Each structure stands twice: as structure tokens, then as C-alpha cells.
Amino acid sequence: MSWTAGFRAHQFVRQSLWVVPLIGGVIGAVLADVDLWLEGRIALPPGWSYSEDTANAVLSAAAAAMVGLIGFVVTIGVLVVQMATGTLSPRFMRLWYRDRLQKLVLAAFTATFTFAFALLRHVESDSVPDLGITLVGLAVAADLILLLLYFDRFVHALRPVAVAAAMAQAGLAVEAGEDRLTTAAGSGDQGVGRGAPDERVMAPRSGAIQAIDIAGLVRFAAARGQVCVVPHTIGDFVTVGSVLMEVHGAASETDLRRLGGMISLGRERTIDQDPAFALRILVDIAIRALSPAVNDPTTATQVINHIDALLLGIGSSDRAFRGTALDADGRVRLVVRTRGWAEYLDIGVTEIRQYGATSPQICRRLRAMLEDLRAGVLPARRAAVQFQLDALDRATDAAFADPFERALARMSDRQGLGTTRPGETSDASR
């Protein structure tokens, strides 16, 4: 199986809502057989023995309750889809499907159902699985606790600010883990011939580049003396038949097929190697809050808080901009096109500035964010931040004709409105 097939299978399992519950159902049936083998071999207290009628009632009620609870969780899932579509970003759903607690709850309910149903077949007048019935009662109690935890997660984790915090954390985790590309993007031409590539790997189908097997590509290219160049950024959409990879060095048809199998194409982007996708989701939530139909600049301001944290994490290091990978001898074997700092800033700032230009709260919070970035990013990247500050000045001046309102909107405020008084002087309002 190629790396791409393995990656896609892993993604399918992580995002599927039925694979883990199905495994839970199988485990429940297996545990029922184990319980039947243990019956009579383990001495139980006298109070833990049950009549045939009691056993049938308990097991039937437990099985029916689990079916009802599974339906309840599915209903919550439908509500999540509606909420995400209406108030968050549809792209967030891809990450919500990965929620481990949700899968654990469904698996526990399914396991309890199959366990109880399997034991129900073995209840007879002269043979009652006392240990199994006791375990079913304990499992139902544990399932109720899991249900409460899941409901608590549903209530609290789907607020826009909670989603924004989760997305910022996920983006920072991806950015921090991107250390397999070991050379700065500016040196991406090292070891690559200036002429045309010797071979090209064509895209077998249309799709977004979800991930690249960086370590595998480096090993493969080093063994054959090749240099592989991916002229696309992770997250780009490529069409069928377009150039997916350029190969400098001799490569057979088999080599080209194996190289193509180390780049995963899918219907949409994933966050696994793409911190800009987390930034994209954050911006989507912010501009949706700024739409005339919603008109909620405070939510957008809260999202900007986490955009600030994510951009500062990206801009204060080189990890997100590394575009080459070296072999053990220090030779460039892989070159991948990466986003520059200005591109990350454009994603995080431009649309919010455009849609929130008439809101003093948004203008002030954006200014505070850009001032944070100007002070915190590497010196070479401060010019791009200043460019965004200048663009914010122009947008503010165009949106506010009244001098007082313009001065108010040009102040820097970490809360949007509330921590800087209109009478105070600031660099922006001079």
C-alpha cells in the first residue's frame, strides 16, 4: 500500500463516525462471550443474583436505552452541522468529526448494546448470567457519565470563541511540528538544476494537496540521486493532468508512480501539514460574524484575539517557512513551495479589515494585533506588518468622515472598545 493510500485511510478513520462505534459493538459481543465463560467461575455476593424476569427486564431496558442514546447523540450531531453552517465555518466540521470523546461515547453505547443483547439470548429459567447483568448496570452508569461529559463538550466547545481557541492551538501545533523541512525557503534552489526537470509527475486526479510524505520523498530521492520539486503549496488545488512534481535526475515510470504516491490529494484541505488552514477557518468565523445578517463585531474581536496568537507564533519563527528538506549528507532532496509571511498576513487580516472597516471595535482590535505583531515577529517581517497598518489607516480614513469618530477608530485597543478613552493620545490618532 502506498503512503497516500495509508494517509487517506488514516484520515477516513479519524473523520468517520461509524468505524470506532462498529469496533465498540464487536468488543461488546466478544466481552459477552468472555462473561459467559466466567459465569460460575467467579463467586459473587448473594445479593448479586437475579431472577429470570429481572434479568430479562434489566438487559432489555439497557439495550433499548442504548439505542435511544445513540439516536440522541446523532441528533446532537445534526445540530452541530446546522450550527457550524450557520454561525461558524463549514470547514470546521472536518475537525469536529475527529472529536475523540464523540467517538468514545458512540463506541461505549454500541458496546453496551451488543453486550446486553448477547447476554439476553442466554437468560433461562435455570441459568442467569449474574455477573453480566451486574456489568451491564455498571456500563449503563458509565455511559451516563460519558453522556454528560459529551453534552458538556457540546455546550461549551462549540461557542465561536472556544472554536477559535481550538483552531489557534491546532495551527500552532502544526507549525511547531513542521521541522522535517530543515532549510529556509529562501534557499530552496540549492542543489536544483536551473534547467528543465528531467521528469514530471502528473496529477492522477483533481484535488487539494493534503499532505506530503517528506521523509519518504527524501529517502527515495537520496537513494536515486534525485531532487524533487513540488511547485505547489500544501493546500493548493491541482487539476488532473497538471504537474504535481518535477524530478531532477533520472527516473523510471515506476519511480514516477512511487513519487506520485507520496503526495495525498483529497476533496478539501486538511490541517495536518497546513497551519494556514486553521487561520482560514478563524477568518471565516470572524467575517461571518461581521456580515450584515449577523452584525456581531464582539465575536469577531474575540476571534481576532486568537488570530493574533496564531500569527505571532508563525511570524516569530522560521518553521512555517521552511521549504526544503536535506538528506543525511546535507544535500537538498526536496523543495516544496511555501507561503511567505506576507501571505499569512493577507489571510489573517485583509478580509477582516475589508468587512469590518466600518466598525470602530474591529479597527481598534486589528490595530492592536498588528502592533503586537510588529513588536513580536522577526525584524525582517516587520515591513509586511507596517504595510497592513498603512492599509488599515487608509480603510479607517475612508470609512469615517467625522474627525472624532476617525480618531476613535484609529486608536489601538486590545478589547476593541473599552480600554482606551477617546480623549487619550495614541500614535495612531496623532
Side-chain angles (χ1 to χ4, degrees), residues 68-82 150 154:
L69 290 178
I70 291 172
F72 178 72
V73 173
V74 170
T75 301
I76 289 181
V78 173
L79 293 176
V80 170
V81 172
Q82 293 176 343
Y150 177 69
F154 169 71

Side-chain angles (χ1 to χ4, degrees), residues 97-111:
Y97 296 148
R98 298 181 178 185
D99 185 73
R100 294 178 180 177
L101 179 60
Q102 179 172 225
K103 295 178 182 179
L104 176 62
V105 167
L106 289 172
F109 292 172
T110 308

Side-chain angles (χ1 to χ4, degrees), residues 266-384:
R267 294 179 180 176
E268 58 181 327
R269 295 163 65 179
T270 68
I271 201 172
D272 297 83
Q273 294 183 6
D274 188 6
F277 188 49
L279 189 58
R280 176 72 267 166
I281 294 174
L282 288 170
V283 172
D284 286 348
I285 296 172
I287 61 178
R288 186 166 295 225
L290 292 173
S291 67
V294 179
N295 197 25
D296 184 9
T298 301
T299 293
T301 298
Q302 291 176 320
V303 175
I304 293 173
N305 294 338
H306 298 285
I307 294 176
D308 189 354
L310 180 53
L311 283 175
L312 187 60
I314 293 173
S316 58
S317 75
D318 278 327
R319 287 188 295 266
F321 308 95
R322 292 170 179 170
T324 63
L326 313 179
D327 62 14
D329 297 327
R331 297 177 181 176
V332 173
R333 294 300 178 186
L334 174 64
V335 180
V336 181
R337 184 179 178 273
T338 58
R339 293 176 183 83
W341 169 239
E343 292 175 285
Y344 280 103
L345 269 182
D346 283 339
I347 297 172
V349 176
T350 301
E351 290 178 311
I352 297 178
R353 183 185 67 241
Q354 291 175 346
Y355 290 112
T358 58
S359 169
Q361 186 175 178
I362 297 301
C363 293
R364 290 158 65 103
R365 183 61 188 96
L366 271 182
R367 185 175 301 280
M369 181 185 80
L370 291 170
E371 290 176 353
D372 282 346
L373 294 176
R374 186 172 58 185
V377 301
L378 298 179
R381 296 174 187 153
R382 292 172 184 168

Side-chain angles (χ1 to χ4, degrees), residues 32-361:
D33 289 337
V34 174
D35 174 80
L36 292 172
W37 180 81
L38 290 174
E39 293 290 343
R41 291 177 171 84
I42 297 179
L44 296 177
W48 287 15
S49 60
Y50 306 90
S51 66
E52 179 186 3
D53 292 338
T54 301
N56 282 321
V58 170
L59 295 177
S60 299
M66 291 305 105
V67 173
L69 290 178
I70 291 172
F72 178 72
V73 173
V74 170
T75 301
I76 289 181
V78 173
L79 293 176
V80 170
V81 172
Q82 293 176 343
M83 179 180 296
T85 303
T87 61
L88 300 172
S89 167
R91 280 151 292 282
F92 169 69
M93 292 307 304
R94 187 176 181 90
L95 302 178
W96 171 254
Y97 296 148
R98 298 181 178 185
D99 185 73
R100 294 178 180 177
L101 179 60
Q102 179 172 225
K103 295 178 182 179
L104 176 62
V105 167
L106 289 172
F109 292 172
T110 308
T112 303
F113 167 77
T114 56
F115 184 74
F117 190 78
L119 290 181
L120 191 60
R121 297 183 297 113
H122 295 275
V123 175
E124 299 174 1
S125 57
D126 59 343
S127 175
V128 176
D130 295 328
L131 175 62
I133 296 171
T134 302
L135 292 176
V136 165
L138 295 175
V140 170
D143 290 341
L144 291 177
I145 294 174
L146 284 175
L147 178 64
L148 292 175
L149 292 175
Y150 177 69
F151 186 71
D152 180 77
R153 169 80 65 90
F154 169 71
V155 170
H156 293 95
L158 287 178
R159 293 176 298 122
V161 64
V163 172
M167 288 299 96
Q169 275 187 340
L172 289 172
V174 173
E175 186 270 339
E178 212 41 40
D179 55 358
R180 291 168 295 175
L181 292 170
T182 53
T183 307
S187 59
D189 289 337
Q190 294 178 8
V192 181
R194 295 291 181 177
D198 297 288
E199 298 290 347
R200 292 180 175 87
V201 178
M202 314 309 289
R205 67 180 192 282
S206 299
I209 297 177
Q210 296 179 330
I212 299 174
D213 182 11
I214 296 172
L217 277 171
V218 170
R219 287 194 303 268
F220 189 88
R224 290 158 179 77
Q226 300 165 347
V227 177
C228 300
V229 179
V230 180
H232 308 284
T233 302
I234 295 176
D236 284 356
F237 189 90
V238 297
T239 55
V240 59
S242 61
V243 177
L244 187 61
M245 183 190 302
E246 298 173 348
V247 182
H248 295 261
S252 64
E253 289 296 325
T254 303
D255 290 345
L256 296 180
R257 283 195 298 271
R258 291 187 62 183
L259 289 170
M262 297 182 191
I263 299 181
S264 176
L265 299 177
R267 294 179 180 176
E268 58 181 327
R269 295 163 65 179
T270 68
I271 201 172
D272 297 83
Q273 294 183 6
D274 188 6
F277 188 49
L279 189 58
R280 176 72 267 166
I281 294 174
L282 288 170
V283 172
D284 286 348
I285 296 172
I287 61 178
R288 186 166 295 225
L290 292 173
S291 67
V294 179
N295 197 25
D296 184 9
T298 301
T299 293
T301 298
Q302 291 176 320
V303 175
I304 293 173
N305 294 338
H306 298 285
I307 294 176
D308 189 354
L310 180 53
L311 283 175
L312 187 60
I314 293 173
S316 58
S317 75
D318 278 327
R319 287 188 295 266
F321 308 95
R322 292 170 179 170
T324 63
L326 313 179
D327 62 14
D329 297 327
R331 297 177 181 176
V332 173
R333 294 300 178 186
L334 174 64
V335 180
V336 181
R337 184 179 178 273
T338 58
R339 293 176 183 83
W341 169 239
E343 292 175 285
Y344 280 103
L345 269 182
D346 283 339
I347 297 172
V349 176
T350 301
E351 290 178 311
I352 297 178
R353 183 185 67 241
Q354 291 175 346
Y355 290 112
T358 58
S359 169
Q361 186 175 178

